[in-house]
């Protein structure tokens, strides 16, 4: 590895972090703050989980994850109450390190924008973004007790307009394809909002990928050229590089960074950010973020530091 790519020390912003899990349980705020302090995570997005997994009457054992059994999940608005209560109990200096995103709404419900407005009015200045919004999301899509959520439906269009009015970024989980299709089956569902809501800043969680997709098809050959086209066409698009993108895209099995992805990030140096995608437990936050160091080290130092820390902070309303 060239001298210019030698290891560096990074300060991080965690751009994708869930305070609770799919059962609305958490290790708690002190565990989160300790994990941040121990791992140079200076700032963090913090959100709930917008659905709760049901422990169904017919299931003999409590599931550990949403995919643990065949029971469904349901939209759970109280997740935002849990996040707000945890943040508001902190001293001001600690609160400044956390950036709450509001997620507890049904993306199929055209009343959701009004609900979000009420939540914003209830705690002025608390919420700094919207999301992670679950639309296309692996097997969870079929498990949710409702219609299939899409990022390009009328209900979400109302949310995007509100987000633009309130200068709030929106983080979307919208899979680019299904587990079996080797084409960008659902691309229109993310591209239409990008085109129709140019004043709304979108963070695309995992760039539409997931571990579940990768279990069935190792690498999406169309992903990188699709991202290159979208980033060029839509200046309101930002990419969350959380864990499902690390391999097989950013790094190969030998731990070597992809030259194509390095070139993409350097072409759009302010449009990528890191996220742990931690879910209610925080003991591995540092490990998740440091796993990107090999990729960051191969970037110019100023670009690497933007990706590791600054780009997420730059899209928050306070920074603008």
């Amino acid at each position: 590895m060239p001298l210019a790519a030698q290891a560096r020390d990074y300060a991080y912003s965690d751009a994708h972090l869930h305070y609770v899990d799919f059962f609305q349980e958490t290790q708690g705020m002190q565990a989160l703050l300790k994990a941040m302090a121990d791992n140079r995570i200076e700032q963090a997005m913090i959100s709930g989980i917008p659905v709760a997994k049901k422990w169904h009457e017919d299931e003999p054992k409590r599931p550990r994850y949403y995919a643990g059994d065949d029971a469904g999940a349901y939209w759970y608005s109280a997740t935002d109450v849990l996040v707000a209560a945890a943040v508001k109990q902190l001293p001001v200096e600690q609160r400044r390190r956390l950036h709450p995103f509001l997620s507890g709404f049904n993306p199929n419900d055209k009343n959701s924008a009004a609900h979000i407005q009420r939540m914003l009015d209830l705690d002025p200045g608390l919420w700094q973004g919207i999301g992670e919004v679950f639309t296309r999301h692996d097997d969870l899509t079929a498990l949710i007790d409702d219609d299939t959520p899409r990022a390009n439906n009328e209900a979400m269009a109302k949310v995007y307009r509100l987000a633009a009015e309130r200068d709030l970024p929106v983080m979307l989980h919208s899979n680019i394809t299904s587990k079996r299709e080797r084409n960008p089956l659902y691309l229109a569902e993310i591209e239409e909002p990008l085109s129709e809501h140019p004043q709304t800043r979108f963070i695309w969680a995992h760039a539409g990928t997931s571990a579940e997709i990768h279990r069935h098809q190792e690498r999406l050959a169309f992903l990188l050229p699709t991202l290159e086209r979208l980033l060029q066409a839509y200046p309101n698009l930002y990419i969350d590089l959380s864990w499902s993108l690390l391999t097989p895209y950013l790094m190969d099995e030998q731990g070597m960074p992809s030259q194509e992805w390095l070139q993409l990030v350097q072409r759009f140096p302010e449009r990528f950010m890191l996220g742990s995608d931690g879910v209610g437990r925080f003991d591995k936050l540092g490990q998740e973020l440091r796993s990107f160091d090999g990729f960051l080290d191969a970037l110019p130092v100023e670009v690497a530091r933007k990706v590791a820390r600054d780009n997420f902070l730059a899209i928050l309303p306070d920074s603008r």
Side-chain angles (χ1 to χ4, degrees):
M1 187 173 288
L3 291 176
Q6 288 180 354
R8 312 157 183 154
D9 290 331
Y10 298 104
Y12 304 98
S13 292
D14 190 338
H16 187 165
L17 175 63
H18 300 280
Y19 182 63
V20 298
D21 61 17
F22 284 88
F23 303 92
Q24 306 300 318
E25 296 172 352
T26 179
Q27 279 188 313
M29 188 57 75
Q30 293 311 307
L32 171 56
L33 293 172
K34 183 178 188 306
M36 292 175 66
D38 290 347
N39 294 285
R40 294 199 302 276
I41 305 171
E42 294 185 355
Q43 307 280 325
M45 173 268 207
I46 180 173
S47 74
I49 290 279
V51 298
K53 170 73 172 180
K54 185 188 300 181
W55 185 5
H56 196 278
E57 175 68 22
D58 296 335
E59 294 292 345
K61 181 180 178 182
R62 187 176 191 256
R64 292 177 295 170
Y65 190 54
Y66 78 76
D69 58 30
D70 294 332
Y74 53 94
W75 300 109
Y76 191 82
S77 289
T79 197
D80 293 326
V81 177
L82 300 175
V83 171
V87 172
K88 288 193 291 187
Q89 72 180 358
L90 296 173
V92 172
E93 285 304 312
Q94 292 179 332
R95 285 179 63 169
R96 286 178 180 152
R97 301 178 60 200
L98 299 174
H99 307 279
F101 277 40
L102 195 154
S103 67
F105 59 91
N106 181 344
N108 287 322
D109 184 355
K110 288 190 283 187
N111 290 311
S112 286
H115 165 76
I116 292 169
Q117 182 68 66
R118 286 192 293 271
M119 294 296 290
L120 294 173
D121 293 342
L122 209 60
D123 284 300
L126 176 69
W127 302 106
Q128 297 181 42
I130 296 172
E132 180 187 9
V133 183
F134 286 175
T135 58
R136 298 280 182 184
H137 193 300
D138 304 328
D139 296 331
L140 184 60
T141 303
L143 290 174
I144 295 173
D145 299 332
D146 199 0
D147 301 327
T148 298
R150 291 184 291 107
N152 62 338
N153 66 16
E154 189 177 346
M156 285 305 301
K158 292 175 177 286
V159 172
Y160 303 144
R161 287 193 287 270
L162 176 60
E165 291 170 9
R166 301 296 292 260
D167 196 30
L168 300 173
V170 178
M171 174 176 277
L172 281 175
H173 188 125
S174 182
N175 285 6
I176 195 170
T177 192
S178 69
K179 293 186 290 186
R180 298 290 184 181
E181 290 296 320
R182 297 183 179 274
N183 60 77
L185 181 66
Y186 301 129
L187 177 59
E189 295 183 8
I190 183 74
E191 187 163 6
E192 285 179 17
L194 290 170
S195 174
E196 295 172 5
H197 301 275
Q199 302 306 313
T200 303
R201 302 187 298 287
F202 291 90
I203 307 169
W204 195 6
H206 328 285
T209 68
S210 73
E212 187 63 25
I213 292 174
H214 296 150
R215 286 189 185 99
H216 294 266
Q217 40 185 326
E218 204 168 289
R219 183 193 299 266
L220 303 176
F222 57 79
L223 183 64
L224 190 140
T226 299
L227 282 180
E228 189 169 22
R229 179 181 68 80
L230 293 177
L231 288 164
Q232 177 65 37
Y234 305 110
N236 55 333
L237 173 63
Y238 299 82
I239 305 299
D240 158 40
L241 291 174
S242 49
W243 60 283
S244 66
L245 278 172
L246 185 59
T247 53
Y249 298 105
L250 304 185
M251 309 280 282
D252 64 21
E253 289 71 16
Q254 287 72 47
M256 296 300 294
S258 162
Q259 291 301 312
E260 290 181 319
W261 279 84
L262 289 169
Q263 291 167 12
L264 181 67
V265 172
Q266 289 179 75
R267 184 178 173 192
F268 302 98
E270 297 177 347
R271 310 279 284 282
F272 293 87
M273 56 195 69
L274 301 185
S276 67
D277 199 13
V279 181
R281 300 190 64 83
F282 314 117
D283 42 313
K284 294 184 178 178
L285 290 191
Q287 177 183 325
E288 293 290 345
L289 294 176
R290 284 193 301 273
S291 66
F292 290 90
D293 284 2
F295 185 80
L296 295 175
D297 290 344
L299 291 167
V301 63
E302 66 275 10
V303 176
R305 288 175 177 159
K306 284 182 178 182
V307 175
R309 180 184 184 275
D310 299 338
N311 286 346
F312 169 67
L313 301 178
I315 69 165
L316 298 174
D318 286 350
S319 300
R320 299 166 62 85

